[in-house]
Amino acid sequence: MPHAPHSGRALSDAQITQFIREGFVRIDNAFPRAAAADARAILWRDSGCDPDDPATWTHPVIRLGMYDQTPFLDSANTRVLHDAFDQLIGGGRWLPCRSMGTFPIRFPSACDPGDTGWHVDASFGWDQPDFMEWRVNVVSRDRALLMLFLFSDIDETDAPTRIRRGSHLDIARQLAPAGDAGLTLRELAADGFAGSAARPETLAVGAAGTVYLCHPFLVHAAQPHRGSRPRFLAQPPLLPKEPFSLTRGDRDLSPVERAIRDAIDGQL
């Protein structure tokens, strides 16, 4: 659902309901195309590839990490995004983005990129050297949102991220019995995320400057690039300033918390 601000709010009531039920909301024009272009110039330089010479695009994916230059920080901290964070997490409950995180730049290629499996992003337990031992718990410790920042125009052939709509509800129910300790990525993935396999899929397409704000439990996946121009997308977390709680009163629950609680209670 495209962004349609009104009455000083970034997200409409319908968009917030969509977020709770489907696990994501799309905001068009969340940051300027000029900032996206400036960021791409930095990424092209660091990639070692020539934007005008496809012969230099020799890998299906190149990962570049932890960007905090002005174009990236400006993109992550626009007024519309901050307003949306307040609506989804709660005012004063999140930390401004200070880094855009890892960039998986995807190039047109017939080769298997090797990273297209369904998954959720871990949020704690980073001290384990095996990333499959990283963890997620039912209150999404240390992660408030998964975010997808489109730094290039992305259509159906440009390796858009695949999203299983409503899959965050399945993961909430899977995590609930594990309590604060949560589950490792290996445990969550033991059945290949079969619990959400019947969910309908959405592709994270849009123009440069589009942002998808996603529930931290949303099941998603990469895919091979079948288009003609490289795809630039960042997927930083939004970090919480305070832990989520499922015991707040109804009026104080954020949409992220409400989705988890309602999933566990069988209301969604």
Side-chain angles (χ1 to χ4, degrees), residues 152-174:
S152 61
D153 296 339
I154 300 175
D155 66 21
E156 289 79 1
T157 64
D158 297 326
T161 300
R162 297 176 290 164
I163 291 169
R164 284 182 175 171
R165 301 204 308 268
S167 57
H168 63 306
L169 307 174
D170 306 310
I171 297 299
R173 288 188 279 266
Q174 187 176 356

Side-chain angles (χ1 to χ4, degrees), residues 118-135:
W118 292 102
H119 64 283
V120 296
D121 284 11
S123 62
F124 69 102
W126 308 108
D127 54 326
Q128 295 295 324
D130 178 0
F131 78 92
M132 290 299 290
E133 291 300 309
W134 297 349
R135 308 187 75 85

Side-chain angles (χ1 to χ4, degrees), residues 49-120:
C49 301
D50 184 340
D52 299 316
D53 184 4
T56 66
W57 309 346
T58 57
H59 300 282
V61 59
I62 293 176
R63 295 183 181 276
L64 303 174
M66 310 312 292
Y67 283 84
D68 59 5
Q69 294 97 321
T70 296
F72 300 97
L73 295 188
D74 285 353
S75 299
N77 291 288
T78 63
R79 175 62 183 272
V80 67
L81 287 174
H82 281 196
D83 288 348
F85 299 160
D86 281 347
Q87 289 181 269
L88 295 177
I89 309 303
R93 295 180 183 173
W94 51 272
L95 297 171
C97 291
R98 298 303 181 202
S99 169
M100 194 51 76
T102 301
F103 268 86
I105 305 173
R106 298 193 180 273
F107 294 86
S109 177
C111 298
D112 181 359
D115 63 351
T116 59
W118 292 102
H119 64 283
V120 296

Side-chain angles (χ1 to χ4, degrees), residues 27-33 36 149-153 207-211:
I27 304 181
D28 293 339
N29 304 309
F31 64 95
R33 289 183 65 87
F149 280 73
L150 278 58
F151 279 87
S152 61
D153 296 339
T210 302
V211 174

